[in-house]
Structure formats: structure tokens, C-alpha cells
Amino acid sequence: MTEIGSSRAWRKFLRHRPAVIASVVIAVYVAVALSVLLTGWITLEDTSARVGPANLPGFGLLPDPEQRMDNAEWLAERIESLCDRADPEEALAGFRDLGSRRLADLNVDEFRRRIDAIWDTWDRLAELDDVNEAARSPETGPEVREGLAELDRRCEALLQPVSETGSVWRTLELLLGTDRQGRSIFLRAVYSIRVAVMIGLVTGLLAVAIGTLAGLAAGYFGGITDGIITWLYSTFASIPGIVLLIVLAFMFSGGELDASLNRVTGGLLRTVLGGRLDETLIPVYISFAITFWIGPCRVIRGETMKIRELEYVQAAVVMGFGRMRLLLRHVLPNVSHLMLINFSLLFIAAVKSEVILSYLGLGVQNGPSWGLMISQSGQEVMKGFFWQIGSATGFMFVLVLAFNILTDALQDVFDPKHV
Amino acid sequence: MWTYLIRRLAWNVPVYLGILLFIMIVLRVRDPVFARLPKNATEQDKADIRAELGLDQPFVAQYRDLLRQVCTLSFDQESWSHPGQTVGQIMKRSIGPSLAITVPALVFTTVLSVTVALCSAWFRGRLPDRLLVLTSVLGMSISFLVYIILGQYFAAFRMREITGIDLFAISYDPEVSGVGGMEFVTTVWPRYYLLPVLTSVVVAMGYDTRFYRAVMVEESSRDYIITARAKGAPQWRIMFVHMLKNAMIPIITRVATTLPFLITGSFLLERYFGIPGMGNQLLLAVESLDFPVVQAFTAVFAALYIATILLTDILYALVDPRVRLS
Amino acid sequence: MSSASPSSELPTAAPTARPVLSVRNLTTQFRTDRGLLTAVDSVSFDVFEGEVLGIVGESGCGKSVTARSIMRLLPEHITRYGPDSRVEFSGCNLLELKERRMRRIRGDRIAMIFQEPMTALNPVYTIGAQLDEALRYHTSLSRRERRRRVLELLERVEIPSPERRRREYPHQLSGGMRQRIVIAMALACEPDVLIADEPTTALDVTIQAQILRLMDELRKTSQTAIVLITHDLGVVAQMCDRVVVMYAGQVVESAGVDDLFHDAAHPYTRALLESIPRSGARRTGRLATIPGMVPGLDEMPAACRFAERCSGREDRCTRIAPRLTDITDARSVRCHFPMHQAAGETH
């Protein structure tokens, strides 16, 4: 048993280089999450806006010829249909689905002319049986590739960046490509950091707080308190965690819960949390906290019972120290390392469970999350498009790995006997 | 020993009653009547549906009815979303597919990861061991869902495209549900179940290997190992005779605690591959607010869970001579 | 022989006899995160048939590592032995032996007794099975013969009702009984050398006496050489013929047991002796303690390792490392200023 205040333990922790790197990584994630939360440099709208064609690869790589033709077709058709509106000028000015770019300042006729040019090139390419095959073959290859480049150029000529800084933002938007609906994968993945960190922090803190309180009370007071708390956690433990999560998440996801919470507290939740994203997370927080408090409770109850029997605690009892004081001064510091380790474990569990719940449609409802991104990428993968699943997995992998390494190091340092 | 078991059982009665109570209360957070109302429903319609579902009964009566079903083991309540079928029938139908995934997965995972952990302990601190520890931490940091998606794509889809070998089905075919016996084992299982099983094994290996390795490393640093070596015992005998039997205690605990989960099946795998097992059935029931199914499933699971804890205690006593049940 | 002449040869109790076990310049190092740590530094000694050699020192001085190096029980992948280190036993250097051949020596020709009888036995196997093991590996006895031998061994270590005890598990036995079992295990194949690593430390005083008496009897009846590792000088006085005193991984003094107790040459040995309570000794009011602490493995001074704590320290002690030097035929000491009475005469 090592106290969390022990500087020797922390020195040992600092010597553990992977753990230090992991802590830095976690700090960066939390910083990004906070910056998104506080400054809003990525808004929920940014993540749901169409920034370009569907399924663009990242790092400026070109999609396969078929996809490039589809993308050109999409753009040409959209603009063409706008030109056919009753008030084409206004319709064109209101065209938004291009992310940080907008349409060039051209009149409707010029647009028509340019779109016709696009269709010319497009038709020429469309005559081929299999564009992908033709682009690869040595005979037709150069010609087809030239045609595709021309197509891209002509599409590009319809657009212009919003401003100078817009080009940096544009690079970010397309850094990791776009998903099936043409949304920026990078912006979605980064915004999801905020979602994941919120879920991890809130549920971790809630569950550890509940678990610690219950565990301390059960272990320290014993008797009937212990009986009730043990009964309670045995009850929860006998329902499989995932079943509990699913049932709770579904039951609370109807919106009645946060509506009634808001009603009772006079709109407190809405004021504090603001966006519609966070409101939909409340069922997730609640079901995670109810499911996860058992772990820390059990461990801390056991440890408290051990500490209670220690001589110095017994001595303090004999000397007539108050129970609360004893609990806070002597017992709590001695279980604080377990709180930290459990928090770290629960953070991982929460981030991973979010994926499962989101896949089942019970997790994040509005806005992006790694879980939703991974769930949505199933069909893209079938078409050989890995940017969305890769990005979401990558972002999540780094965070979870960092927490795994951190947990290991914490256990090594503070709880070496743990298997 | 018998008195011990009876005492433990007696202690678990209030726990079990608590579980039933808890699940019934949680379910009633949402009103199932709304979802079943026709358009322009009147108050009368509402009351009718309520009466039809048995929700007009007082809570205590509903609780008593669930308790009766559990005690008599006859889950004869009709499912709300599958009219004409009792909960018992649904369970009976879906338990097979679940077990077809979970049982082989548990066996493969345990045997493999214990073996790998032993090897790792053998090479403790050297390259193979370090690699293994690294791989399992890396593997644990990737979501289950990613394994499923990529597993399906590469093992079922790409393999067929590239090599032309059509080994795994991309997803379950309801047509094969009725197949049983030898035909199931030889044709249906490999085609529709093997891939989910393998995915499950790969995912679980990371966690299990790490755990078992920690157990083995802990055992290998014990004094009796040195004593055995000082007697001139060969390495294999130290590992398989001395270490393994001691390590059986944590191994048994871990395997036993996963036993009840065999019947719940894997929600994710069943949903993704469309396998009509317990997990999938339970999800559907939750989504359609089919209270009888959710309640009965939870009740059966919890009973099994409590039973396995008792079973674990008995197994301890068999393996470890120090343990006396009292 | 002049006391100034350095020696690699150690004094022998009976110059004509050949040692059963001969340790020469044993250096044991561990590769750790903190670099290569030397736990045992050029330790040499001989053990003769039927004698008890004591190795004495504080905890952490390298006694146990020495014992485990002889048996090659240290984790091989992090352990390194010095290039000129030798452990000679029946004509070969144990440090260079292949694991397979080493295994045939362990438990058969050289056996070991451990400090903690509580943990040294495998909790999940019966006493009989564990006693049987060494016999299985090293003899070609049949199952029935082995069983008879197990009972014999139990009787020999004075375990009452051996037939019943054979079928019991370690946790059913008391600490003293378990240590007898450990001894019986070590004796199973009548080893030439028995290494006892603090065999009585974990036991009650009365049980300690019984175990020591038992070991003494065994030595007398079977002529087994015993290396007795202990920090308890009382045990040394009672059991040993010769003593090697270790400090911080090095041998600082070796002598016959009488010489050591009456005329210790190394200040560390003296300090050790002064720290045992004795009824016959002058009453000075309080027990002497040795100030300071043993230096850690990663902070060994280059000069005399005891200098820091030595009452007779002089300038030279902190600059030059003393070498192990013979002072008479049967004794050697690692000190610039040895304190024994004979030193004055030979100078």
C-alpha cells in the first residue's frame, strides 16, 4: 500500500518513461477537448457540414477515377439544378455545401457554360466500360488520366476560397478526407476528442465518487451500512454490465429524464451544458455511472476494512478522534491511489463502451463521436475506403493506449501486489 | 461444506430479489404503452392496451408474477413484440446460436491465452515476452467494433474477392436457422459462426493473455519455484506441474466469471453478423420495450451468475488444499 | 607468511584434504534498469568434507546471492558471472555447465535449504509428492522404493507419524515441521554439499535449536559438507568450523571459528561481535551498534567499503581499496589496519 502523497512513489512514476509520455499525450487530448469546449474553434455545425465530395481520401490523395467522376457529377448536377431555379442568382449565392469554400463570382450563363464543359469531359470518360481499368492500362492510361485532370480543373474553376486564412482551414478540413456524406473526417475526429474526454471524465469522476463514498461507508462503518451497500453492489454486479448499460441507456434516452431534470432545476442543465450534443449525453453519463461504480466500491470497501484494522487507526480510535476526521485524515488518503487507478480504468471503459452504445444507436445522438464514426464506416470499408475507420480508430487508439500505459504504471507504483 | 453453501445461497436470496426489483423499476422509466398506441388514440385505447399488457395490475402483483415464473422455471408470459410466442420459447430458440459462438470462443481463448502466457513467463523479460506484452496492450486499445468490421471485410469479403475462396459468409442467413445436428457442425457452423468466434478470440486474447501472464509471473517469483529448481526439476516440469496448478486458482476464477456471459452472447457480434442469439433478441426486446423478455432474460442470467459464484467456491476447494469452505 | 602478501589462495583447515566445493573469485552481476550492479565481488572460499562453513553478514551483503550463484538459481538472462569466476565441484566449473548437467547436480550432489519454510513448499502438492520429486529426477528407484525412502527421510528428520504426514499438505504443518520437510527434501539424495540459507531465521528460538541440532547430527552421520549462511553469530558459534565474513559483496575476513570469536581481525567482524548480547561479557550498559548503513549496490565506494562506518578509519582507508590478505595460514582479512593480536607479532 502506497500513499498517493508519497513523493518516493511519484519519483518512481516519473522514472517510468512510457508513463510520462502517456501523461503528456493525455494532457494534450484534454487540452484539445477544453479548447473545443471553451473557444469553440470547431463547432458542431462544422462537423456536420458538407465540405466537399463524398469519400475523399486524406492528405490530398486522389480518389480512384470512378470516384472522381462521381464527385464531378455531384458538383455539376448540384450547380446545374441551382441554375435552373426560378431565381438562380440567389440559389447560387445560398449554396453552402462546400465547407470553407464558395462558388466563384460568376454569372449564371458563365456557370452554365463551364458546367457544359464539365459534362463534355465527363461524357468522354463515361464512354469507357471501366474507368478504373482504363486509367491503369498502358495504352489508354495517359489519355484517361489527362481527361480526369481536366475534369478536376474544370470543377475547381467553379469555386474559390472564402478568404486567405480559409486555405489553412481548407487543408484541415480535407486533411483526413471526407466521409460518405462529404463531411470532414478530421474535424469530426477532433471534435470527438471533446466528446470522449467529456464522457470519460464525467462518468469516471461520477462513478469513482459514488464508489468511493459507498466503499468507505461500507468498509468503515460495517454493520447494517455494509450489509446494504454490499447487497446493492452484489445486485448490480449480477446483471451483466453490458445488459445494464443497454437497458439504462435506452430507458433514459427518451428525453424525459433531462426534460424533467431541467424542469425541476429551472433549466440548469441547459444553461450549464448549452449545446444539444451535451444534453443527449446525459443518459450515457447516467447509465455509465450506475454501471461502473461497482468496481471502485468493491476495491475501496476491501481496502478500508484493512486500514480500519491497522494499529495507528485503532490507536486513533482509542484516543477518541472523531469518526469523520479519522475517515478523512487517515482512511481517505490511503485509498486515494485506488481512486486514481479506478478512474483511469473507468475512463478507458467509458470511451470503449461509447463505441458499442453508439453502434447500437444508444450512445451519442447529435454530433460526431468515434463510436458513430466507426459504426458508420462499415459500409465504406466494404468499398475499400478506410479513412474514416482509420482516423477514428487512430485517434481513439492513442488516447486509450495512453490510459492503458498510465494505468499499468500507476498500478506498478501504488499497488504493486495487484495481479 | 453443505452448511456453507446453504448459507451462501440464503445470502443470495435478497440479492436476487433485488435484481428482479431493480430491473422492473428501471424498465418502467419509459411507458411502453405510448409506443403501441395507434394514431389518434383515445384514453380508452390507452387503458385497453395497458390492461392487455398486464400493466394495470399493481406493481406488487407484477413482481409476484415474475417471481412465480422464475421459481417454477416456466416462462409462460407472452412476449409483447412477438405475439403468440412465450418468453420461454424465444429463449429456447435463441440460446443455441449464442452458445455456438460463446462456448468455442471461451474454450479457444482460454487454452490459447494460458499457453501463450506460459510461454511468455518462460521467456520472461526477454524479447518474446516484451513483444507479447506490447502486442496485447496495443490490441486492447482498439475497439471491438473495429475488429469486427475489419475482420468481416478481410476474412469474408476480400478473401473471396482475391483468392476466390468462399469460406466465411459475410453475414448470417436466416434460412439456415432450422439446421441442426451434424449438418450444423460441418456446414453451418464453419460458414456462419467461425468468423465471429475468431474475432471474439482475437479480441479476448489481449485481455486474457495479459491477465494470465501476470498470474504466471507472480507464481514464477514464488519461493517454491526456487525450491523446485534446487531439487533439479526441469523447466517444463516447473512450469506445468508446479506453476500451473497454483495458477489454476486465478484461471478458474476468470473462466468461471465469464461462464454466465456465455448465455447472453455477444451483443455486438450477434447484431453485426445478424445472428439470432440471446444478445440480439435482448436488444430487440429493449428497443421495442418488450418487458417480459427483458425481465426474464435478466432473471435467468442473474440466477446463473449467482450459481457460478458458488461453483467457483467449490472448485477452489478442489484445487487448493488450503481452502476450506466454512 | 607476511601479512602484507596478497593472496588468492584461501587458508585451509586441513591442508592435506581436497575441498569438495571450491569457490574462486566469484563475481555476480545483475543487469538492471540502473545498469550493471555487482552483488558479489571476487568471493573465494573452500568447503571440505564433513565441515560446516559459515558465511556471515548483514542482510544484503551478498550471502544469498553467493549461495544461489553456486547453485545457478539466479535468473540467467539478467545474471552475469565474472570471467575468472569459478565454482569447482567434482572436477568441473559449475558456472560453465550446461543447464541440463547442472540440473543433475542440483538436488543430487548439492542441495539447498531455504529461509522461509512457509513459502518454500508448494502449497498445492502433498509433502510426500514434494519429497518424492528429487528422488524421481536423480534416482532410478521404483515407485515403491521411493515411497519407502520418503518415509525414511521423514523419520530421519524426526517427523512423527510419517505415514500420515506424507499425505498432508504444507499448510497443515507447523513452521518447524515444514523446515524439517525442507531439510528432508535436501537430504533425499545424500548430497555432498548442503547449502543452508538462513535455515533458522524464520523460526522460533526453541524450534531453531531443534533444527540446528538436527543439522548437526546429519552432518556427523553422513559427512555432508554444510555451507551455513546466517546473520546470527550465535548460530555460527554453535555450528561452524570455519567462518567467512562478508560485507557489501566482498569477503572481509575468513578464519576458524575460535580465532574469529576470540581475536577478530577486521573492524567489521569486531563490531558484529560487539553487537551480540552476551551474559558473560563486560556490562557496558548498552549494546554496541554499527553506525551508518551498508552502501547500496549502485553507490559502492572505490576504496574500503566499510570505511564510512569504521571507527578506526584513517586517510588511506578512503583512498585505497584493501585486498584480502593472509595473516596466518588459516586466516585472511581485508583491512589496511587489521586489529588482531597476532598481527603485532608477525609485523
Side-chain angles (χ1 to χ4, degrees):
Chain A
M1 187 180 67
T2 316
E3 264 197 52
I4 207 154
S6 137
S7 59
R8 224 184 88 234
W10 283 111
R11 269 206 300 280
K12 195 172 161 201
F13 179 81
L14 288 177
R15 267 210 308 271
H16 197 306
R17 195 171 304 158
V20 174
I21 297 174
S23 311
V24 172
V25 169
I26 293 169
V28 169
Y29 268 81
V30 172
V32 171
L34 281 179
S35 75
V36 172
L37 186 68
L38 298 175
T39 69
W41 63 279
I42 301 177
T43 61
L44 203 54
E45 283 68 38
D46 288 334
T47 64
S48 54
R50 180 156 200 141
V51 300
N55 287 358
L56 269 185
F59 299 130
L61 294 174
L62 289 175
D64 63 34
E66 188 114 38
Q67 184 73 50
R68 280 161 82 179
M69 286 182 62
D70 287 352
N71 292 342
E73 185 185 11
W74 173 78
L75 186 69
E77 270 179 359
R78 287 301 301 271
I79 295 175
E80 203 167 32
S81 72
L82 293 175
C83 292
D84 292 341
R85 293 273 179 87
D87 187 355
E89 296 286 347
E90 197 182 323
L92 285 167
F95 187 46
R96 283 282 165 269
D97 283 356
L98 296 164
S100 59
R101 294 194 300 176
R102 58 191 174 92
L103 293 178
D105 290 324
L106 303 169
N107 61 34
V108 179
D109 292 336
E110 182 60 18
F111 268 121
R112 286 227 158 90
R113 211 176 53 69
R114 291 193 183 186
I115 285 167
D116 286 342
I118 290 176
W119 285 130
D120 283 346
T121 320
W122 196 88
D123 289 339
R124 195 146 45 78
L125 289 165
E127 279 167 17
L128 297 159
D129 284 339
D130 185 341
V131 202
N132 290 349
E133 193 60 48
R136 268 197 301 271
S137 90
E139 302 104 61
T140 52
E143 194 192 329
V144 172
R145 282 197 294 272
E146 178 51 42
L148 286 165
E150 191 183 300
L151 195 62
D152 285 350
R153 261 197 317 276
R154 292 195 160 155
C155 287
E156 207 55 35
L158 297 170
L159 307 165
Q160 67 176 41
V162 171
S163 63
E164 276 305 305
T165 54
S167 68
V168 177
W169 184 253
R170 182 75 190 156
T171 318
L172 283 185
E173 275 179 348
L174 295 185
L175 189 65
L176 296 173
T178 59
D179 69 2
R180 206 145 39 97
Q181 291 155 53
R183 298 175 299 192
S184 162
I185 292 176
F186 178 77
L187 293 184
R188 285 173 72 76
V190 172
Y191 196 88
S192 303
I193 292 178
R194 181 201 138 163
V195 178
V197 169
M198 283 285 280
I199 292 179
L201 279 180
V202 173
T203 58
L205 289 176
L206 267 178
V208 168
I210 300 173
T212 306
L213 276 179
L216 280 178
Y220 191 77
F221 298 114
I224 193 113
T225 321
D226 186 34
I228 291 171
I229 290 171
T230 318
W231 171 76
L232 210 58
Y233 84 54
S234 306
T235 303
F236 278 83
S238 306
I239 306 172
I242 187 79
V243 174
L244 195 57
L245 263 185
I246 289 168
V247 171
L248 288 171
F250 187 75
M251 290 304 149
F252 291 133
S253 66
E256 294 96 342
L257 182 77
D258 27 302
S260 60
L261 274 175
N262 267 320
R263 208 169 42 243
V264 172
T265 57
L268 181 73
L269 276 177
R270 189 159 296 135
T271 331
V272 173
L273 295 171
R276 54 199 156 99
L277 167 72
D278 300 278
E279 273 180 28
T280 66
L281 284 178
I282 294 172
V284 180
Y285 295 151
I286 291 175
S287 47
F288 279 20
I290 295 180
T291 313
F292 290 153
W293 69 278
I294 306 158
C297 176
R298 190 188 311 233
V299 186
I300 286 170
R301 172 177 170 268
E303 192 69 22
T304 308
M305 285 167 90
K306 257 188 266 166
I307 296 168
R308 195 181 56 180
E309 298 308 318
L310 289 180
E311 273 166 36
Y312 76 93
V313 178
Q314 289 292 310
V317 173
V318 172
M319 278 152 64
F321 282 102
R323 283 174 137 193
M324 266 345 250
R325 187 184 142 91
L326 211 60
L327 204 56
L328 293 180
R329 284 293 302 279
H330 295 290
V331 183
L332 192 64
N334 280 310
V335 297
S336 53
H337 66 288
L338 294 175
M339 292 167 65
L340 192 64
I341 291 170
N342 271 287
F343 172 76
S344 190
L345 284 170
L346 293 185
F347 195 105
I348 301 172
V351 172
K352 288 174 125 180
S353 305
E354 182 273 319
V355 177
I356 296 176
L357 282 194
S358 290
Y359 169 70
L360 300 176
L362 298 171
V364 178
Q365 305 293 326
N366 273 313
S369 80
W370 293 327
L372 282 177
M373 290 176 75
I374 294 172
S375 312
Q376 285 161 3
S377 60
Q379 283 161 322
E380 294 172 352
V381 165
M382 281 297 171
K383 283 191 268 166
F385 183 80
F386 290 96
W387 285 91
Q388 169 140 263
I389 195 172
S391 308
T393 306
F395 271 83
M396 188 177 143
F397 173 77
V398 173
L399 182 63
V400 175
L401 180 64
F403 263 102
N404 271 327
I405 292 172
L406 182 73
T407 315
D408 280 0
L410 287 175
Q411 263 165 358
D412 270 2
V413 173
F414 293 109
D415 195 11
K417 271 184 297 210
H418 173 93
V419 173
Chain B
M1 191 174 114
W2 285 109
T3 48
Y4 169 82
L5 284 181
I6 289 164
R7 214 174 56 230
R8 281 294 301 269
L9 266 174
W11 194 86
N12 276 305
V13 169
V15 169
Y16 195 72
L17 294 177
I19 294 165
L20 299 186
L21 187 67
F22 174 78
I23 201 75
M24 284 186 69
I25 291 174
V26 168
L27 283 177
R28 279 157 182 76
V29 167
R30 280 175 84 166
D31 193 343
V33 175
F34 283 111
R36 292 179 168 74
L37 285 181
K39 275 183 188 161
N40 315 321
T42 58
E43 279 302 309
Q44 184 55 43
D45 291 339
K46 233 183 200 175
D48 286 348
I49 292 178
R50 197 170 292 277
E52 196 186 313
L53 299 179
L55 287 170
D56 56 339
Q57 303 278 317
F59 185 79
V60 180
Q62 295 179 37
Y63 186 71
R64 209 185 305 127
D65 186 51
L66 178 60
L67 212 58
R68 175 194 58 81
Q69 293 184 52
V70 172
C71 292
T72 56
L73 284 177
S74 55
F75 295 96
D76 49 9
Q77 199 174 350
E78 189 182 335
S79 154
W80 293 351
S81 49
H82 301 279
Q85 292 184 38
T86 66
V87 175
Q89 285 168 334
I90 293 177
M91 270 200 263
K92 214 162 145 192
R93 171 155 53 84
S94 19
I95 192 144
S98 279
L99 292 179
I101 296 181
T102 51
V103 172
L106 178 68
V107 173
F108 286 157
T109 310
T110 308
V111 171
L112 270 175
S113 50
V114 169
T115 318
V116 172
L118 270 170
C119 294
S120 190
W122 181 301
F123 289 109
R124 169 144 182 233
R126 278 177 282 173
L127 192 66
D129 180 40
R130 278 160 189 255
L131 272 180
L132 186 101
V133 172
L134 186 71
T135 322
S136 61
V137 175
L138 295 183
M140 278 165 58
S141 306
I142 296 174
S143 172
F144 194 176
L145 190 58
V146 174
Y147 285 101
I148 298 179
I149 293 175
L150 296 185
Q152 187 199 42
Y153 176 71
F154 285 108
F157 190 73
R158 284 296 283 173
M159 193 163 88
R160 185 181 309 173
E161 237 177 34
I162 294 172
T163 63
I165 303 171
D166 186 12
L167 194 58
F168 301 121
I170 289 175
S171 66
Y172 191 78
D173 179 0
E175 293 277 294
V176 303
S177 280
V179 182
M182 262 332 269
E183 198 189 344
F184 176 81
V185 176
T186 52
T187 58
V188 176
W189 190 80
R191 184 160 169 76
Y192 297 98
Y193 289 90
L194 186 54
L195 185 58
V197 167
L198 290 179
T199 316
S200 164
V201 170
V202 168
V203 174
M205 277 285 283
Y207 299 87
D208 281 16
T209 313
R210 230 167 91 90
F211 175 81
Y212 293 134
R213 180 189 168 275
V215 168
M216 299 295 174
V217 164
E218 168 104 359
E219 283 306 323
S220 69
S221 64
R222 298 237 193 253
D223 286 351
Y224 67 79
I225 296 289
I226 298 263
T227 313
R229 290 185 62 205
K231 275 191 275 193
Q235 178 85 16
W236 66 266
R237 217 183 132 83
I238 287 173
M239 302 195 78
F240 289 97
V241 176
H242 287 277
M243 253 165 71
L244 197 57
K245 188 159 177 193
N246 277 284
M248 279 320 276
I249 294 155
I251 293 177
I252 287 176
T253 318
R254 195 172 177 87
V255 172
T257 47
T258 49
L259 284 180
F261 295 91
L262 291 179
I263 69 142
T264 62
S266 163
F267 291 86
L268 225 47
L269 282 170
E270 288 180 10
R271 183 44 72 100
Y272 201 87
F273 288 99
I275 292 166
M278 297 279 274
N280 217 343
Q281 232 18 284
L282 184 57
L283 273 174
L284 288 172
V286 170
E287 284 162 357
S288 58
L289 295 169
D290 191 347
F291 289 6
V293 173
V294 180
Q295 287 168 3
F297 275 37
T298 318
V300 169
F301 173 83
L304 277 175
Y305 184 84
I306 291 169
T308 35
I309 292 180
L310 290 176
L311 181 76
T312 322
D313 283 348
I314 298 171
L315 283 177
Y316 275 168
L318 291 181
V319 174
D320 189 343
R322 285 166 297 185
V323 175
R324 302 266 300 280
L325 299 180
S326 57
Chain C
M1 197 187 275
S2 158
S3 63
S5 73
S7 156
S8 60
E9 287 291 300
L10 265 171
T12 52
T16 47
R18 277 171 56 88
V20 218
L21 178 76
S22 172
V23 175
R24 283 285 160 271
N25 299 317
L26 176 68
T27 299
T28 306
Q29 296 173 312
F30 296 117
R31 276 195 294 269
T32 68
D33 321 334
R34 285 178 292 162
L36 201 61
L37 300 181
T38 307
V40 172
D41 188 0
S42 299
V43 165
S44 304
F45 56 80
D46 291 316
V47 193
F48 297 91
E49 194 174 289
E51 87 165 340
V52 178
L53 175 78
I55 300 184
V56 191
E58 287 166 271
S59 45
C61 73
K63 299 169 296 190
S64 290
V65 176
T66 306
R68 286 176 190 207
S69 302
I70 296 170
M71 290 286 273
R72 291 256 307 274
L73 288 176
L74 297 164
E76 299 265 300
H77 63 284
I78 56 160
T79 311
R80 253 180 48 181
Y81 300 108
D84 58 342
S85 300
R86 297 180 63 79
V87 175
E88 274 168 37
F89 177 78
S90 71
C92 44
N93 180 4
L94 297 188
L95 296 181
E96 285 169 359
L97 230 49
K98 284 259 183 338
E99 175 65 20
R100 180 180 289 273
R101 286 193 57 201
M102 191 62 219
R103 223 152 53 207
R104 266 189 262 153
I105 290 176
R106 282 189 209 127
D108 187 22
R109 312 283 306 278
I110 308 180
M112 198 158 171
I113 301 173
F114 298 90
Q115 176 177 355
E116 265 298 337
M118 296 300 180
T119 54
L121 294 170
N122 193 331
V124 298
Y125 289 101
T126 59
I127 302 299
Q130 296 188 59
L131 278 167
D132 182 61
E133 251 192 296
L135 297 170
R136 261 169 92 145
Y137 304 143
H138 303 297
T139 67
S140 52
L141 298 176
S142 71
R143 184 182 288 267
R144 182 176 299 171
E145 286 166 330
R146 290 208 306 265
R147 209 177 103 191
R148 200 175 318 125
R149 174 87 180 123
V150 165
L151 291 174
E152 232 173 75
L153 283 166
L154 288 172
E155 266 163 31
R156 191 155 163 217
V157 294
E158 296 163 13
I159 299 271
S161 51
E163 184 54 48
R164 181 164 64 91
R165 293 296 183 192
R166 191 177 64 86
R167 286 193 299 267
E168 287 187 345
Y169 289 92
H171 72 275
Q172 293 166 293
L173 273 57
S174 67
M177 288 248 243
R178 282 189 231 183
Q179 192 63 309
R180 285 161 199 265
I181 303 293
V182 174
I183 294 175
M185 253 161 53
L187 295 176
C189 300
E190 306 278 343
D192 302 330
V193 179
L194 180 64
I195 301 174
D197 188 358
E198 308 251 11
T200 57
T201 309
L203 302 174
D204 291 345
V205 184
T206 47
I207 313 287
Q208 269 189 28
Q210 287 174 19
I211 295 290
L212 290 176
R213 185 181 48 76
L214 178 67
M215 284 176 59
D216 205 38
E217 272 167 29
L218 295 173
R219 184 231 338 205
K220 280 175 190 142
T221 51
S222 62
Q223 282 299 295
T224 303
I226 297 178
V227 178
L228 180 62
I229 293 169
T230 179
H231 64 267
D232 185 344
L233 286 165
V235 171
V236 172
Q238 193 186 338
M239 293 283 295
C240 299
D241 303 309
R242 285 185 310 118
V243 187
V244 170
V245 182
M246 283 184 72
Y247 183 79
Q250 293 177 322
V251 173
V252 291
E253 179 165 8
S254 79
V257 72
D258 289 342
D259 285 342
L260 192 89
F261 275 86
H262 295 118
D263 187 20
H266 197 281
Y268 175 64
T269 319
R270 292 219 160 195
L272 269 186
L273 288 168
E274 274 158 22
S275 64
I276 0 176
R278 257 179 299 184
S279 56
R282 273 180 300 137
R283 299 257 162 89
T284 50
R286 54 191 288 194
L287 284 174
T289 53
I290 311 177
M293 270 169 38
V294 188
L297 288 182
D298 50 352
E299 48 186 20
M300 278 301 173
C304 177
R305 292 180 178 183
F306 186 62
E308 190 77 345
R309 306 168 72 186
C310 183
S311 55
R313 176 181 64 228
E314 293 196 18
D315 187 37
R316 197 173 161 203
C317 302
T318 53
R319 284 187 295 109
I320 305 163
R323 305 172 77 168
L324 193 63
T325 313
D326 289 347
I327 45 177
T328 67
D329 278 355
R331 329 187 39 177
S332 54
V333 65
R334 186 189 294 274
C335 182
H336 293 305
F337 309 102
M339 296 163 90
H340 72 129
Q341 290 148 10
E345 293 156 25
T346 48
H347 260 299

